[in-house]
Amino acid sequence: MRSSSFPKGRLVMADLGCASGPNTLLLVSEVIKAVHKLSRELGQECPELQVFLNDLPGNDFNNVFTSIQGFKENMKKEMGEPNSEPPLMISIVGVPGSFYDRLFLTDSLHFIHSSYSLHWRSRVPQGLEENKGNIYLTSSSPPGVLEAYCKQFQTDFSSFLKFRSQELVTGGRMVLTIPARRGEQHSEKECCYLLMSMALNQMATEGLIDQQKLDSFNLPLYMPSAMEVETEVRKQGSFAIEHLELWDMDWNVYEDEVFKRYALLLSDWMAKVSPAFVSLTVSLTKRH
């Protein structure tokens, strides 16, 4: 957060794809600490903080809201002021809806954040009928399947940028972290969904799930390259890229029948290659 663009009076931010788990308010806590620290450095009063937490209508917002009081108390302790009011006047509001549509008033936000949400598409791409035996892109997917996924990403991300540009103030900042891939080619080394597909196909062969249902199932997601993200940002034109970085994160596996099978395949696969979960973080500023 820059001191030259530090808002006075009120700071309004939105977290898109907030979910409802233990990490939902993590970003808010980091912003509170950053705002409090910078306000002291500048010798000015902390601005009030308005936080919009966005996710799809099916998100468990009630669980989020019941955690807010405990969150505020923990923030007091963390800031070293357990017996006082929070260092910031903070208002937290849930905003259900798709971030591929308009969500907020024009020129109303100073900061937008989204982490591990923008790889999900607004819908399953059309034209995936020939992607049988796969649930995402693989080396065996027909060229038309790649084209359909790529086109859906371009449509969705362009809409996302357009709507966020209408909602951010001029000079407002947006930071996005997206599951991504390193190169322009879709490497199965960087994608765990091939193994998930293999596990599901095993279960279909054993009659545990219906093969026709599996053949018609495709995940509504797309992991873009850095060049694809940069190209769409420049094409849409409302934002300037200040920073773009690819980085790796360790893998994590959960329990379930399909995940047990997935884990066996994964352990064998990891013995042969050096997999990496690639992520892309991009910092954007709304142009004047």
Side-chain angles (χ1 to χ4, degrees), residues 160-232:
F160 177 87
L161 294 171
K162 179 183 72 173
F163 292 135
R164 302 298 82 80
S165 71
Q166 294 169 2
E167 297 160 352
L168 274 171
V169 299
T170 298
R173 177 72 60 84
M174 183 161 65
V175 176
L176 313 173
T177 297
I178 311 169
R181 64 183 197 276
R182 287 202 168 277
E184 294 312 299
Q185 300 299 316
H186 288 263
S187 170
E188 292 171 356
K189 176 181 176 181
E190 297 174 347
C191 181
C192 62
Y193 297 108
L194 170 65
L195 303 180
M196 181 69 72
S197 180
M198 291 170 64
L200 290 169
N201 273 288
Q202 286 180 358
M203 294 172 69
T205 301
E206 296 171 19
L208 297 176
I209 58 176
D210 184 78
Q211 184 67 53
Q212 288 187 333
K213 289 183 178 179
L214 175 58
D215 287 342
S216 64
F217 175 72
N218 289 281
L219 291 168
L221 57 83
Y222 183 81
M223 290 177 283
S225 67
M227 182 176 291
E228 285 178 305
V229 170
E230 184 175 354
T231 297
E232 291 306 311

Side-chain angles (χ1 to χ4, degrees), residues 10-75:
R10 180 181 301 171
L11 173 64
V12 185
M13 61 166 286
D15 191 12
L16 308 182
C18 66
S20 60
N23 292 332
T24 295
L25 295 172
L26 180 61
L27 172 73
V28 180
S29 68
E30 293 301 315
V31 171
I32 288 176
K33 287 183 273 189
V35 168
H36 186 253
K37 180 175 182 292
L38 186 54
S39 295
R40 284 186 170 180
E41 291 175 356
L42 296 174
Q44 65 184 50
E45 187 176 340
C46 287
E48 296 180 338
L49 182 62
Q50 172 76 70
V51 180
F52 293 113
L53 298 176
N54 159 258
D55 214 309
L56 293 173
N59 187 54
D60 190 357
F61 285 101
N62 284 334
N63 183 55
V64 176
F65 296 149
T66 56
S67 68
I68 290 177
Q69 184 58 39
F71 165 77
K72 289 183 176 180
E73 291 174 1
N74 287 336
M75 283 305 304

Side-chain angles (χ1 to χ4, degrees), residues 10-164:
R10 180 181 301 171
L11 173 64
V12 185
M13 61 166 286
D15 191 12
L16 308 182
C18 66
S20 60
N23 292 332
T24 295
L25 295 172
L26 180 61
L27 172 73
V28 180
S29 68
E30 293 301 315
V31 171
I32 288 176
K33 287 183 273 189
V35 168
H36 186 253
K37 180 175 182 292
L38 186 54
S39 295
R40 284 186 170 180
E41 291 175 356
L42 296 174
Q44 65 184 50
E45 187 176 340
C46 287
E48 296 180 338
L49 182 62
Q50 172 76 70
V51 180
F52 293 113
L53 298 176
N54 159 258
D55 214 309
L56 293 173
N59 187 54
D60 190 357
F61 285 101
N62 284 334
N63 183 55
V64 176
F65 296 149
T66 56
S67 68
I68 290 177
Q69 184 58 39
F71 165 77
K72 289 183 176 180
E73 291 174 1
N74 287 336
M75 283 305 304
K76 290 181 188 179
K77 295 177 183 177
E78 233 181 290
M79 304 301 291
E81 303 176 31
N83 299 316
S84 65
E85 289 299 313
L88 287 176
M89 174 57 198
I90 177 171
S91 171
I92 301 177
V93 179
V95 181
S98 170
F99 49 53
Y100 294 120
D101 297 321
R102 272 294 298 268
L103 292 168
F104 309 104
L105 298 177
T106 302
D107 297 336
S108 62
L109 303 176
H110 298 100
F111 178 60
I112 293 175
H113 171 265
S114 182
S115 180
Y116 295 99
S117 296
L118 276 166
H119 60 303
W120 292 109
R121 306 276 47 86
S122 64
R123 50 177 285 177
V124 176
Q126 294 181 325
L128 305 185
E129 294 79 11
E130 300 304 316
N131 201 32
K132 298 185 185 302
N134 300 318
I135 61 173
Y136 183 54
L137 290 168
T138 72
S139 58
S140 65
S141 298
V145 173
L146 171 58
E147 182 180 350
Y149 269 108
C150 183
K151 183 177 180 181
Q152 189 65 52
F153 162 74
Q154 292 170 345
T155 299
D156 286 341
F157 196 50
S158 177
S159 295
F160 177 87
L161 294 171
K162 179 183 72 173
F163 292 135
R164 302 298 82 80

